[in-house]
């Protein structure tokens, strides 16, 4: 069951006019929010980022946070799985094709997909990643539905039998095609600074909070391509993949080629945090 423009319906019955600006121009933004045991995880943070994306494309937020919470809860309740990934999608609406903004209501959609944790084999072996030049636009802080560069970049990983493409812009690590990336060197967790060149990852923020609370030394700093390639460990994070270890980069082993100590520690802390915040019903 999905939500589309004020109504709940089976996905098969949902239709969007061909002149929707999401279809014509990729003119819209989105969010992906995990829900565990039917409770949205870090909902407030996701809604804040949604507001940032909407502001970035000059589109009014069609709903208050309270209304979003309510709609999301209803979509969760109308779907079977206990763990779901909610996809929020807002476009500038339906209008005759013209680049200039139309004065029309936005298209608002919420989808639910089953949320499956990464398979245990991938957590124990780690995953392969490839690198590529980050050729996206320079407002990567906006979670835009115009994802063609991300799609093309991610396919490079798939073509190479890898899980993610890690992006380098002007000699520095930015992020993955659909994830945030951390590097560990000499026991220090390194995170690229937030800027217009990367998406402010909600999972990225959780990881840094967990590091701060658990005496894991971390530094937010620019990370060179060389530092990425000489990393002891590389971590990939996202709302759907949680935390995974990258153990091969462009066919070179990362560290000793096995998920490292910092991965194990942060993965455990993340699972514990998830379980406790769900039990407490915290949706911050
Ligand atoms: N992607 N960077 C990019 C480019 C992303 O697309 C994502 C997430 C992230 C991680 O953000 P978060 O921790 O808030 O999920 C970083 C989502 C899952 C997607 O597009 O499906």
């Amino acid at each position: 069951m999905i939500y589309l423009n004020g109504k709940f319906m089976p996905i098969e019955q949902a239709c969007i006019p061909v002149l929707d600006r999401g279809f014509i121009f990729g003119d819209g933004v989105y969010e992906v929010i995990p829900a565990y045991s039917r409770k949205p995880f870090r909902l407030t943070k996701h809604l804040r980022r949604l507001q940032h994306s909407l502001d970035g494309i000059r589109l009014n937020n069609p709903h208050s946070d309270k209304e979003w919470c309510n709609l999301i809860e209803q979509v969760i309740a109308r779907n079977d799985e206990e763990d779901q990934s909610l996809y929020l999608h807002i476009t500038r609406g339906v209008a005759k094709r013209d680049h200039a903004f139309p004065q029309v209501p936005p298209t608002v959609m919420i989808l639910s997909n089953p949320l499956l944790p990464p398979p245990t084999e991938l957590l124990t072996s780690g995953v392969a990643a490839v690198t590529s030049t980050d050729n996206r636009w320079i407002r990567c802080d906006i979670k835009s539905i115009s994802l063609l560069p991300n799609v093309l970049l991610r396919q490079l990983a798939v073509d190479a039998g890898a899980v993610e493409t890690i992006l380098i812009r002007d000699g520095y690590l930015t992020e993955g095609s659909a994830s945030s990336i951390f590097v560990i060197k000499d026991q220090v967790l390194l995170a690229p600074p937030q800027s217009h060149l990367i998406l402010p990852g909600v999972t990225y923020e959780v990881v840094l909070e967990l590091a701060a609370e658990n005496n894991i030394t971390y530094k937010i700093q620019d990370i060179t391509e060389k530092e990425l390639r000489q990393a002891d460990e590389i971590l990939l994070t996202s709302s759907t993949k949680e935390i995974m270890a990258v153990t091969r980069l462009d066919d070179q082993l990362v560290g000793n080629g096995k998920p490292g100590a910092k991965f194990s520690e942060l993965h455990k802390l993340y699972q514990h945090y998830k379980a406790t915040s769900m039990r407490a019903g915290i949706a911050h």
Side-chain angles (χ1 to χ4, degrees), residues 6-219:
K7 295 198 187 93
F8 296 91
M9 61 190 82
I11 193 161
E12 298 75 24
Q13 285 171 21
C15 292
I16 305 277
V18 290
L19 284 177
D20 191 279
R21 288 177 64 99
F23 184 53
I24 299 285
F25 293 121
D27 184 2
V29 297
Y30 76 105
E31 264 304 319
V32 176
I33 308 173
Y36 301 104
S37 308
R38 298 189 178 274
K39 296 194 188 86
F41 182 66
R42 289 247 156 175
L43 182 56
T44 311
K45 302 282 181 180
H46 282 281
L47 293 179
R48 193 172 303 161
R49 184 171 66 188
L50 177 64
Q51 185 63 57
H52 175 81
S53 298
L54 288 166
D55 291 344
I57 69 161
R58 298 169 58 189
L59 183 57
N60 286 334
N61 195 333
H63 295 298
S64 66
D65 278 9
K66 215 170 149 205
E67 288 167 348
W68 278 120
C69 286
N70 187 273
L71 291 172
I72 290 165
E73 266 169 25
Q74 292 199 57
V75 172
I76 293 174
R78 285 163 202 257
N79 284 281
D80 288 339
E81 293 78 15
E82 288 295 301
D83 293 350
Q84 300 176 26
S85 157
L86 285 313
Y87 174 82
L88 278 53
H89 176 112
I90 303 129
T91 80
R92 212 181 299 277
V94 180
K96 184 173 170 296
R97 189 182 179 281
D98 176 2
H99 290 61
F101 295 174
Q103 293 304 317
V104 294
T107 300
V108 181
M109 179 174 77
I110 307 176
L111 308 179
S112 164
N113 281 304
L115 179 59
L116 303 168
T120 319
E121 311 88 79
L122 293 189
L123 292 174
T124 45
S125 64
V127 297
V130 295
T131 56
S132 185
T133 302
D134 190 344
N135 56 10
R136 301 172 300 163
W137 69 334
I138 51 170
R139 286 306 307 276
C140 297
D141 55 316
I142 296 173
K143 209 162 168 56
S144 158
I145 61 168
S146 308
L147 283 173
L148 185 56
N150 302 62
V151 166
L152 293 171
L153 289 164
R154 174 76 206 295
Q155 191 60 32
L156 296 177
V158 175
D159 293 345
V163 159
E164 181 58 300
T165 304
I166 297 181
L167 308 177
I168 316 276
R169 195 190 285 261
D170 299 331
Y172 291 93
L173 163 70
T174 51
E175 59 183 344
S177 68
S179 60
S180 308
I181 303 290
F182 295 85
V183 159
I184 288 126
K185 188 68 186 170
D186 299 332
Q187 307 290 327
V188 181
L189 174 69
L190 303 175
Q194 293 300 327
S195 76
H196 58 290
L197 298 180
I198 68 174
L199 186 80
V202 173
T203 323
Y204 165 107
E205 200 182 15
V206 176
V207 166
L208 291 184
E209 279 177 25
L210 291 174
E213 285 161 14
N214 292 279
N215 296 321
I216 297 173
T217 313
Y218 72 92
K219 277 193 199 146

